[in-house]
Amino acid sequence: MSSTTPTPPPSSLTERRKTETRMEIARAAAGLFVRHGLRATRAEDIAQAAGIAPRTFYRYFATKEEAVAPLYAAGAQRWVEAVRAAPADAEVLHALEQGVRHTLTGVGVSASSWQWVRTLLRLAEATPSLRRVWAEVCQASERLLAEVLAERVTRAGAPENLGVSTVPDSDDNVAEGPAPTSAAPPSPPFAATPELRFSAAVASAAVRAALEAWAAGDGPVEGPDGPAELALRNLAALRDFPWGR
């Protein structure tokens, strides 16, 4: 797994500790990048700021640029999970819009955190090595969004008891199984059709372009030129897009 791939929900104490350590390193790296710039920051500086040995840093990340990937990925993960959490009867576009409203407004996020977001996105725009990290996170998020859209579309077209599981049988037909007993995401994930992959790519580009446009300016998070309103306008321009139909 690439170091820039969003980390799945931890399933054990060890995994939770690893996830926490990755995020501590990411915050330390972001703080140094914001204060001193990317070029002036070494991996050893990040390790010292995070309170770990340099060799420990390299067990988690191959380069200093990759160290901020968990911060990029956390925001992308929140948006995708907000789309997943939208009401089951919501159309795909409405679910995408709900995800934007839930994650890209200033509610519950400090002004300093948004300033970090702006600075890191500007650094990604100006630095090819960091731009690759941002691009990899966006691609990983896009793949996850495609699975979430496939889950929504599949469940919307399932019988009234949404407990039908679509698992290919030995004849490559779709076999119906009993309703799952837990609220955990399906495993393995729903397979996204090429149309849904395209839909996820379009939706992801709409949100990414909004974030990058906001980061390039100096406007506030709230208001008509904030990331949420920009993303909603981008999505509204795609209102007639088939979204996987």
Side-chain angles (χ1 to χ4, degrees), residues 91-166:
E91 295 181 355
V92 169
L93 178 58
H94 293 160
L96 294 169
E97 290 172 340
Q98 175 171 308
V100 165
R101 293 188 180 96
H102 182 76
T103 56
L104 296 186
T105 62
V107 178
V109 181
S110 67
S112 60
S113 294
W114 276 111
Q115 188 57 44
W116 277 28
V117 171
R118 172 171 268 152
T119 301
L120 288 174
L121 289 177
R122 285 180 174 178
L123 284 172
E125 177 63 25
T127 312
S129 57
L130 197 56
R131 194 182 313 144
R132 284 194 294 271
V133 175
W134 170 236
E136 288 184 21
V137 167
C138 290
Q139 289 172 352
S141 172
E142 180 184 311
R143 289 192 295 270
L144 181 58
L145 179 62
E147 294 172 5
V148 169
L149 296 185
E151 178 183 349
R152 293 189 63 86
V153 170
T154 300
R155 291 192 180 281
E160 188 172 352
N161 67 336
L162 297 181
V164 174
S165 62
T166 54

Side-chain angles (χ1 to χ4, degrees), residues 166-176:
T166 54
V167 182
D169 60 19
S170 58
D171 294 324
D172 292 329
N173 295 320
V174 175
E176 295 186 355

Side-chain angles (χ1 to χ4, degrees), residues 100 104 118 206-207 209-217 220-221 223-237:
V100 165
L104 296 186
R118 172 171 268 152
V207 174
L211 276 167
E212 292 173 348
W214 169 78
V221 175
D225 294 322
E229 290 301 322
L230 290 172
L232 290 172
R233 290 207 297 272
N234 289 349
L235 290 171

Side-chain angles (χ1 to χ4, degrees), residues 32-51:
L32 291 172
F33 291 169
V34 168
R35 289 192 296 272
H36 306 300
L38 180 66
R39 184 171 299 179
T41 301
R42 304 172 303 161
E44 291 76 10
D45 299 327
I46 299 172
Q48 182 178 13

